[in-house]
Amino acid sequence: MYLPDIELHETGALEETAALMARYAPNARLLAGGTDLLVDLKTGRLRVAHLVSINRVGALRGVTETGGGLRIGALTTITQLERSPVVGQRFSPLLDAARKMAAPQIRNLATVGGNVACAVPCADLPPILTAMNASVALFSAKGRRNVPLEEFFVGARQTVRRDDEVLTAVLVPEPSPGFGAAYARFALRDGNAIAVAAVAASLLLDHDDTIRDARIVLGAVAPVPLLVESAGARLIGQSPAEDAFAAAVEAAMQAAEPISDVRGSAEYRRELVGILTRRALAAARDRAKETQ
Ligand SMILES: Cc1cc2nc3c(=O)[nH]c(=O)nc-3n(C[C@H](O)[C@H](O)[C@H](O)COP(=O)(O)OP(=O)(O)OC[C@H]3O[C@@H](n4cnc5c(N)ncnc54)[C@H](O)[C@@H]3O)c2cc1C
C-alpha cells in the first residue's frame, strides 16, 4: 500500500493553518499523528490532494489548567495525556480510556484531537469525555466557537466541524465535589484491539448520597457516542446502590443501536452494554464518594 500523490503543507501558525484549510477544503485534510488518516489514504477509503500538517503548531500543544477546568491541546498524544500529573490527580477517569487504547507505539503518535475529530464510532475518548461534560474548541479563518461533545458527533465519521475548522482543544470542566466518572470497555484482546462495546458513566452525588445528575454514554454500539438521556434520568433522585442501577441498565440496552460484524453480533453487543453500564456506574459511584 502506497500513499497517492499528495501535496503536504506545514506551518507553525494556527492562523496560517486555517488559511490553508480555507483555501483547499474540502480537498484537504489536517494531519496530526496520522494513525487514522494515513491508513485511510493508503487503503483508498479517502482521497484528497492536500494534507495540512499541524504538527508544528505550538498553540495546539499542552495540557493546562484553566479557571474552569482542563484544556487538552489537540496535539496532546495519548501517552502525554496518560502521563499528565493534573489528569492523574483530578481528571483520572480519562485514564480508563487512554490506557486501553491501541498499544504504546500508537499511543505515542495518536493525538486527542485526532481521536475526537475522526468520529470513528469505536473511538475510546469521546464517550468518557462526553460523560465528563467536555466540549471542543474550533478555530477557522471565520472565527472561533465551542461545541459541547454531545452536539459534535452527527454520524459515523461525521461531525458538525466544517472542513476548514481546526479542532484546537478539548475542554473538560472542573469536576464538582461528589462527581465521579468511569469508562468500561470490552475488546477481543488487551492490545491493539478496538472496542466491541464501551460505556462511560458519570454521577454527581448530593451530600445525602442521592444522585443529582447522571450521564451514560455508549461507545461502539451506535454511529455516534450515544448519550442516553433516558438512562441518566432514571437515576436522578435515587441512592447509588447496585439495585437502583437496573432501570438505567435496561434503558441503555434498549437505546443501543449495535451492528453485527466480525467482532460480535448485535445481540452480544447489547448484552455487553448491560454489563458495562453496571460496571461503569459502580466505578463512577465509588469515585464520586471519594470526592464528596
Ligand atoms: C493499530 C491501531 C490501533 C488502534 N486502536 C485504537 C483504539 O484502541 N482506540 C481508539 O480510540 N483508536 C484506536 N486507533 C485509532 C487512532 O489511533 C486514534 O483515533 C487516534 O487518536 C487518531 O489521532 P491521530 O493524531 O493519529 O489522527 P490523524 O490520523 O492524524 O487524523 C484523524 C482524522 O482527524 C482529523 N484531525 C486530526 N487532528 C485534527 C484537528 N486538530 N482538528 C481537526 N481535524 C483533525 C484528520 O484530518 C483526520 O480526518 C488505532 C489505530 C491503529 C492504527
Side-chain angles (χ1 to χ4, degrees):
M1 286 190 292
Y2 295 99
L3 277 174
D5 276 350
I6 294 178
E7 196 174 338
L8 178 68
H9 309 263
E10 188 165 53
T11 155
L14 183 56
E15 292 73 13
E16 270 182 67
T17 302
L20 285 165
M21 289 307 285
R23 181 166 173 197
Y24 293 117
N27 199 13
R29 285 289 181 283
L30 292 162
L31 173 67
T35 61
D36 264 327
L37 185 56
L38 296 184
V39 177
D40 284 352
L41 290 168
K42 284 183 177 178
T43 56
R45 183 206 285 265
L46 175 72
R47 288 175 200 281
V48 287
H50 303 270
L51 285 183
V52 178
S53 169
I54 52 176
N55 281 288
R56 287 176 50 225
V57 181
L60 303 180
R61 295 203 174 273
V63 179
T64 47
E65 289 185 77
T66 62
L70 189 69
R71 178 190 183 278
I72 307 170
L75 274 180
T76 305
T77 65
I78 307 303
T79 302
Q80 288 167 342
L81 187 74
E82 277 181 271
R83 293 183 182 167
S84 155
V86 61
V87 171
Q89 283 154 18
R90 295 214 312 285
F91 298 85
S92 59
L94 296 176
L95 301 178
D96 292 349
R99 287 181 176 150
K100 289 184 184 119
M101 270 181 67
Q105 292 90 336
I106 298 286
R107 296 202 290 265
N108 287 341
L109 282 173
T111 63
V112 171
N115 196 246
V116 174
C118 71
V120 172
C122 63
D124 283 303
L125 285 175
I128 186 66
L129 285 167
T130 306
M132 295 178 78
N133 302 294
S135 54
V136 288
L138 302 174
F139 179 89
S140 75
K142 293 177 185 152
R144 294 175 187 270
R145 61 178 178 140
N146 289 0
V147 181
L149 268 191
E150 65 261 32
E151 294 168 19
F152 185 64
F153 302 99
V154 290
R157 296 174 179 269
Q158 292 173 338
T159 70
V160 298
R161 184 182 68 83
R162 295 192 317 267
D163 284 334
D164 64 331
E165 285 181 307
V166 184
L167 191 161
T168 55
V170 176
L171 311 168
V172 191
E174 184 73 37
S176 308
F179 180 88
Y183 178 68
R185 82 164 195 167
F186 178 80
L188 296 179
R189 55 177 194 273
D190 281 343
N192 262 341
I194 56 175
V196 178
V199 179
S202 66
L203 293 174
L204 179 62
L205 301 183
D206 267 330
H207 294 300
D208 65 357
D209 244 16
T210 53
I211 299 172
R212 194 186 331 157
D213 197 13
R215 282 191 155 205
I216 293 176
V217 187
L218 313 184
V221 290
V224 295
L226 198 64
L227 173 64
V228 187
E229 289 182 1
S230 59
R234 297 215 166 123
L235 291 164
I236 292 173
Q238 307 277 329
S239 103
E242 302 276 324
D243 52 3
F245 295 160
V249 168
E250 185 58 32
M253 289 174 72
Q254 291 308 318
E257 304 163 24
I259 56 161
S260 297
D261 65 10
V262 289
R263 294 182 189 85
S265 66
E267 294 75 21
Y268 181 58
R269 284 191 156 99
R270 201 179 293 283
E271 281 300 309
L272 282 174
V273 167
I275 294 161
L276 296 171
T277 302
R278 210 171 268 286
R279 279 187 198 161
L281 278 171
R285 185 250 341 262
D286 294 347
R287 288 173 177 169
K289 281 181 178 265
E290 283 168 18
T291 69
Q292 260 177 322

